[in-house]
Amino acid sequence: MEKPQKIPKVAKVKNKAPAEIQITAEQLLREAKERDLEIVPPPPKQKISDPIELRDYQHRKRRAFEDNIRRNRTNISNWIKYAAWEESQKEIQRARSIYERALDTDHRNITLWLKYAELEMRHRQVMHARNLWDRAVVIMPRANQFWYKYTYMEEMLGNVAGARAVFERWMEWEPPEQAWLTYIKFELRYHEVDRARKIYSNFVMVHPDVTNWIRYARFEEQNGFISGGRSVFEKAVEFFGDDHISENLFIAFARFEERQKEHERVRVIYKYALDHVPKDRCHDIYKAYTIHEKKFGDRTAIESVISSKRKLQYEQEVKGNPTNYDAWFDYLKLVESEGNLEVIRDTYERAVANIPPSNEKHAWRRYVYLWINYALFEELEAEDEERTRDVYQTFISTIPHKIFTFSKAWLYYAQFEIRHKNLTAARKRMGVALGLCPRDKLFRGYIDLEIQLREFERCRILYEKYLEFGSENCVTWIRFAELETVLGDIDRARAIYELAVNQQRLDMPEVLWKSFIDFETLQGETEKARKLYERLLERTNHFKVWMSYAQFEATSEEEGIDSVSVARRVFERGNEALRRGGTPEEREGILQAWLKFEEENGDEDSKTKVKNMLPKRIKKRVPYTSESGRDKGWEEKIDYIFPEDDAARPNLKLLETAKAWKKRKLEEM
C-alpha cells in the first residue's frame, strides 16, 4: 500500500500589530543603570558569643585572606588588609609577621613600609619603629617620606639629638631644597642659630640658586647679623660671576641695603648691575632703581634713571629692527631733551643711515621725516647754517628721483634758503626740482613762494609751465584765472577760462565751467553767463546743469525780465530735453526741482501742472544672470511711468483696464 502523503501544515499568521506599551532602548538602559545604583543592604551582623565561635570565625577569615594572597601575591592591598584585620584582633605579632612576609614579596613598596611603621608607632613599639625606619632609609634613601616620618617621630619623642643625627644622615644624600629648609626650621625651633647658619652655607653650595642665596641673606638679617647678610650677598655676586649673574640678586641686595638706609650703597649696586647684567634683562633693575630714587633721590637723579631706562628700551628696539622709524623718532626726542649736541647728531646720523630696503614710496614716507627733523634741528637748535645745507643736500641726493620723489624735501630746502635771504639759491633749487621731477605739488609750492614774494610775473610764467606740464588739470586753470582776477586783469582771466574750456581733455570739467560761470556772474556779466550755460548745454544734457541754469535765471535781477518766467522756461526745456535723451531718474530729478521752485515762486495752477507731470513708481521683477553665468534669478527694479508718455504706451492702458476689471469682479463676489 502506498503511504498517504502528508498534508503540509499551514503556518499561522503572527500578530504583527505593535504592542500597546512600547519599550525604548533608552528606557532599558536607564532601568539597568538604576539597578546598578540601588543600595545593596548590608549583610546581617554576626554576634560571637564564645571562644570556640571566635576561633572558627578567625580561622575562616585567615583562610580567606591567605587564599587571596595565594591567588595574587603582588597585590599589596591584600597584605595591608590582612595585617589591619590582625591588628583589629589584637594580634600584633601576627600583623608584624604579615608585614614581614609582604616585604619579602615587594621590599621597595613605600606604602608597605609606611603602614608597617605606623603600626609599630600606634602601639608604642619605638624600638621596632626605629629599626624599621633604619631599614627603610638604607634600602630607599631617596624616598623622602621615610626621612620626614623618621625625624618627626624622633622629635615627638623628645629625642632632639637623635632627630639631628637622622637629619645629618639625610643631608649626606643631598636631598631637594625642602628637606634642607625643614632641617633649618628644626634647628631654629630649638634656637640653634649657629647650626642653622652652617646648614645654610652647605645648602647654597648643594643648591646654588639665587633664591637660596637670598634666603640665606634674609636669615642673617632677621637674626640681627647685618654684616653677615651683606657678606652673603657679596659672596653670591662673586660665586655667580658675570656669566651667570641674575638681576634678582642685585635687586634683593639693593633692597637689603635700602632697609639699612645705606642709599649710596644702593646706588652703587644698581649702577654696577646695569653695567654687568645683559641689557635685555635690565628692565626690572631700572624699575627698582626708579622706585628707589623716587623715594630717596632728588629730581635730577629720578630723571636720569628714567632717561637711561628709556634709552635702553629704544636701543633694543632699533637694534632689533633698524627700519622701525617710529622708535627712532621717540629715541631722538629723548636725546634732544638732554641737549647734548654731539650725541644728538650722532643719533641722527645713525637713524638716517638706515635707508629703506624697498624702492617703493610708501616705505620711505616715515624715513624722509628723519631727514627733515635733522635739518630743522641743525637750523633751529644748533643754528648751524652750513650743516643744515649739507643735510638738505645729502637728503636730496639720497632720494631716487627717477623712481619717485618727495616734493616736501625740495620745498623745505627752498624755504630754508629764503629764510636765510638766499633767494637765488632757492629759485635754483626749485628749478632743478621741476626739471628733474616735475610734480603738481612742486609747481603749486613754487607758485605760492613767488606769490608771497609778490613776483607776479614769475607766477604767470610758472603757471604757463604748469599748464604745459598738465593741461588737463582744471584746478590749475581756475587758480591761474583767480590770480589774474585778483590782479585786476579781467580780460586775461576771461581768456584763460576760454582756453581752459576749449581743452580736449579735462579732469573735472564741471568744476571749471562752474568757476567760469561764477566768474562772469561776479563781474555782473549776466548775458555772458547765460551764453556759457547755453554752450555747456550743447556739450552735456545733465539734469544738474539744467537745475543750475534755472536757479541762475531765478536769482538774476535784470531789469525788464521776469526771472520766474525765464526760469520756468528753462525747466520746460530741460524736461523736454531729458524726455528725448535722458534717463527716467534724471527726468524725475528735474521735475522734483521744478516742483520745489513752483512751491516757492509759483501759483496753484503751476504747482498742479508740475505735480501732474511727476511719474509713478512701479516695482517689477525682471530676470537676471550673473557675470559668470552660473547664478540666475529675479530682481526688483523701479519703473517710472510718466503721464506725458501714456499715449505712446497703449499696452499700459490695457493693463490698467484689466486690473480695474479684476478688482470689480472681486468686489461683486
Side-chain angles (χ1 to χ4, degrees):
M1 293 179 63
E2 295 181 359
K3 292 182 180 180
Q5 295 181 352
K6 292 182 179 180
I7 299 173
K9 294 181 180 180
V10 179
K12 294 182 181 180
V13 179
K14 295 180 179 179
N15 184 8
K16 296 184 178 181
E20 294 180 359
I21 300 174
Q22 297 290 323
I23 300 176
T24 62
E26 289 83 0
Q27 186 175 355
L28 292 173
L29 293 173
R30 186 169 60 252
E31 290 178 357
K33 187 67 176 176
E34 288 175 355
R35 289 193 188 97
D36 292 340
L37 295 176
E38 289 180 357
I39 299 174
V40 179
K45 292 183 178 180
Q46 182 180 5
K47 294 183 179 180
I48 299 172
S49 56
D50 57 11
I52 297 174
E53 190 175 357
L54 175 62
R55 284 196 298 273
D56 183 58
Y57 164 72
Q58 290 176 343
H59 177 70
R60 282 188 282 106
K61 290 291 289 184
R62 287 184 181 120
R63 185 172 59 186
F65 280 121
E66 291 291 345
D67 290 341
N68 289 336
I69 293 172
R70 193 179 303 111
R71 281 193 293 268
N72 189 0
R73 297 182 63 84
T74 59
N75 190 354
I76 301 302
S77 63
N78 292 334
W79 294 98
I80 294 175
K81 290 177 182 178
Y82 191 8
W85 182 82
E86 291 290 359
E87 183 184 0
S88 66
Q89 300 298 314
K90 309 300 182 183
E91 296 286 349
I92 306 303
Q93 190 60 37
R94 284 181 175 272
R96 189 178 291 125
S97 175
I98 292 166
Y99 275 122
E100 290 294 341
R101 289 167 59 196
L103 289 175
D104 290 339
T105 302
D106 186 4
H107 68 283
R108 301 194 67 82
N109 190 291
I110 296 176
T111 305
L112 199 56
W113 285 100
L114 293 176
K115 292 291 184 180
Y116 191 5
E118 287 171 1
L119 167 71
E120 300 292 0
M121 289 191 292
R122 275 197 300 272
H123 296 280
R124 301 182 182 277
Q125 299 295 321
V126 177
M127 294 306 297
H128 281 283
R130 190 173 285 136
N131 290 335
L132 272 176
W133 291 128
D134 284 333
R135 289 167 59 192
V137 297
V138 168
I139 294 172
M140 289 179 286
R142 296 296 179 187
N144 294 323
Q145 299 97 315
F146 298 156
W147 295 104
Y148 281 120
K149 293 279 187 178
Y150 195 1
T151 55
Y152 179 74
M153 184 191 75
E154 295 291 356
E155 188 174 1
M156 289 298 99
L157 293 172
N159 186 10
V160 178
R164 185 177 292 117
V166 174
F167 270 118
E168 289 294 336
R169 289 172 58 192
W170 189 9
M171 295 306 114
E172 291 177 0
W173 292 96
E174 298 183 358
E177 295 179 3
Q178 187 58 45
W180 292 88
L181 297 176
T182 304
Y183 188 12
I184 292 169
K185 289 179 181 178
F186 166 78
E187 295 292 358
L188 291 177
R189 280 197 294 273
Y190 298 100
H191 307 290
E192 296 287 347
V193 179
D194 293 335
R195 289 180 178 273
R197 182 180 294 110
K198 185 178 180 181
I199 298 168
Y200 258 123
S201 64
N202 295 329
F203 173 41
V204 295
M205 293 301 168
V206 175
H207 297 283
D209 190 71
V210 172
T211 306
N212 298 331
W213 282 96
I214 295 173
R215 283 175 177 166
Y216 187 9
R218 190 178 295 118
F219 159 77
E220 296 285 359
E221 182 183 5
Q222 290 173 351
N223 288 279
F225 300 100
I226 305 303
S227 59
R230 185 176 292 121
S231 176
V232 170
F233 276 118
E234 292 172 353
K235 288 178 181 178
V237 173
E238 294 177 2
F239 178 81
F240 288 104
D242 294 340
D243 296 333
H244 303 88
I245 201 68
S246 172
E247 63 274 15
N248 295 328
L249 179 62
F250 286 111
I251 293 172
F253 193 4
R255 288 175 179 171
F256 166 80
E257 296 292 356
E258 182 179 324
R259 289 192 291 272
Q260 313 311 319
K261 307 204 183 307
E262 297 283 350
H263 301 302
E264 289 302 322
R265 285 179 176 269
V266 175
R267 293 187 180 95
V268 171
I269 292 168
Y270 279 129
K271 290 178 181 178
Y272 180 85
L274 293 174
D275 292 338
H276 291 78
V277 176
K279 300 301 181 184
D280 57 342
R281 293 177 5 207
C282 288
H283 177 74
D284 294 337
I285 297 176
Y286 273 115
K287 184 177 180 180
Y289 193 7
T290 305
I291 294 173
H292 173 267
E293 293 299 336
K294 285 181 179 179
K295 289 181 179 178
F296 307 104
D298 53 7
R299 184 183 182 87
T300 305
I302 296 171
E303 291 178 353
S304 175
V305 174
I306 295 174
S307 177
S308 301
K309 180 180 178 181
R310 289 182 180 174
K311 274 186 184 179
L312 176 63
Q313 294 174 351
Y314 293 141
E315 281 288 351
Q316 291 175 349
E317 290 183 16
V318 299
K319 185 178 180 180
N321 184 9
T323 57
N324 184 2
Y325 301 117
D326 292 329
W328 280 111
F329 284 125
D330 295 336
Y331 191 11
L332 288 164
K333 185 177 180 181
L334 177 62
V335 172
E336 286 181 6
S337 64
E338 296 178 351
N340 191 330
L341 292 180
E342 294 302 323
V343 176
I344 296 171
R345 282 172 178 156
D346 179 67
T347 309
Y348 266 117
E349 291 293 338
R350 289 170 54 202
V352 298
N354 298 297
I355 300 174
S358 174
N359 278 337
E360 297 180 4
K361 190 171 183 178
H362 69 86
W364 287 64
R365 294 189 184 277
R366 297 292 290 163
Y367 172 70
V368 296
Y369 281 101
L370 287 174
W371 283 103
I372 292 172
N373 289 351
Y374 189 11
L376 293 176
F377 163 75
E378 292 290 354
E379 180 185 0
L380 302 177
E381 301 295 333
E383 298 181 354
D384 193 331
E385 180 180 345
E386 289 303 321
R387 288 185 66 92
T388 307
R389 188 172 288 109
D390 292 340
V391 170
Y392 274 119
Q393 290 175 356
T394 309
F395 177 25
I396 295 296
S397 63
T398 304
I399 302 173
H401 300 287
K402 293 183 179 180
I403 304 174
F404 58 84
T405 190
F406 288 93
S407 302
K408 60 174 69 69
W410 298 98
L411 293 173
Y412 275 113
Y413 192 4
Q415 290 168 1
F416 159 73
E417 296 290 1
I418 290 173
R419 284 195 296 271
H420 290 82
K421 301 179 181 180
N422 197 351
L423 187 57
T424 304
R427 285 174 175 155
K428 185 177 179 181
R429 290 299 113 200
M430 293 305 298
V432 171
L434 293 176
L436 187 62
C437 45
R439 297 286 189 278
D440 291 341
K441 192 173 181 180
L442 280 174
F443 277 109
R444 291 197 298 268
Y446 196 2
I447 291 169
D448 290 341
L449 284 176
E450 295 295 352
I451 289 175
Q452 292 174 8
L453 296 171
R454 301 296 187 268
E455 294 287 347
F456 299 114
E457 287 300 324
R458 288 182 175 273
C459 292
R460 288 190 175 113
I461 296 171
L462 286 172
Y463 268 121
E464 292 172 2
K465 297 290 184 183
Y466 193 2
L467 292 172
E468 290 176 5
F469 167 70
S471 59
E472 71 281 355
N473 194 332
C474 293
V475 176
T476 306
W477 290 102
I478 293 170
R479 289 185 177 179
F480 193 6
E482 288 175 351
L483 174 65
E484 297 296 351
T485 304
V486 171
L487 296 176
D489 199 337
I490 305 301
D491 294 335
R492 186 186 284 269
R494 185 175 289 114
I496 291 170
Y497 274 121
E498 287 292 342
L499 284 172
V501 297
N502 290 323
Q503 295 295 315
Q504 295 296 325
R505 287 192 311 153
L506 292 171
D507 55 357
M508 294 185 295
E510 66 280 0
V511 176
L512 180 61
W513 281 96
K514 181 69 169 58
S515 179
F516 195 2
I517 293 169
D518 291 343
F519 164 76
E520 295 293 0
T521 305
L522 289 174
Q523 301 304 322
E525 299 288 347
T526 308
E527 187 61 30
K528 290 184 179 181
R530 187 177 291 114
K531 289 180 180 179
L532 284 174
Y533 270 116
E534 295 293 341
R535 289 169 59 188
L536 180 57
L537 289 171
E538 292 175 1
R539 300 190 179 196
T540 180
N541 197 30
H542 201 277
F543 77 102
K544 288 188 177 180
V545 178
W546 287 105
M547 291 165 57
S548 178
Y549 190 9
Q551 187 178 6
F552 163 75
E553 293 292 358
T555 55
S556 64
E557 298 178 354
E558 289 185 287
E559 296 181 1
I561 296 177
D562 186 2
S563 59
V564 176
S565 300
V566 175
R568 188 175 290 120
R569 285 197 296 272
V570 172
F571 276 119
E572 292 173 353
R573 288 174 57 197
N575 182 38
E576 186 63 27
L578 292 173
R579 180 182 176 185
R580 292 194 303 270
T583 62
E585 291 82 1
E586 293 178 340
R587 190 175 173 190
E588 186 200 22
I590 195 170
L591 286 174
Q592 293 289 351
W594 189 1
L595 178 61
K596 185 177 180 181
F597 167 77
E598 294 295 349
E599 289 175 350
E600 295 176 355
N601 302 291
D603 53 11
E604 291 297 327
D605 295 337
S606 61
K607 282 190 261 185
T608 305
K609 177 183 176 182
V610 178
K611 285 181 180 178
N612 293 333
M613 297 169 67
L614 290 174
K616 296 180 180 178
R617 294 187 177 187
I618 298 177
K619 289 184 180 180
K620 63 179 183 179
R621 298 178 69 206
V622 296
Y624 78 93
T625 304
S626 63
E627 295 180 358
S628 61
R630 296 179 180 177
D631 299 331
K632 296 182 180 180
W634 296 82
E635 63 179 351
E636 289 188 352
K637 285 190 176 181
I638 303 297
D639 194 9
Y640 296 89
I641 308 301
F642 292 89
E644 296 175 336
D645 300 340
D646 286 350
R649 301 176 65 177
N651 292 335
L652 180 63
K653 288 194 173 183
L654 180 61
L655 183 62
E656 290 180 353
T657 305
K659 287 183 178 179
W661 177 82
K662 185 177 180 180
K663 183 178 180 182
R664 190 166 56 253
K665 285 292 183 181
L666 292 173
E667 290 176 354
E668 290 176 0
M669 292 174 64

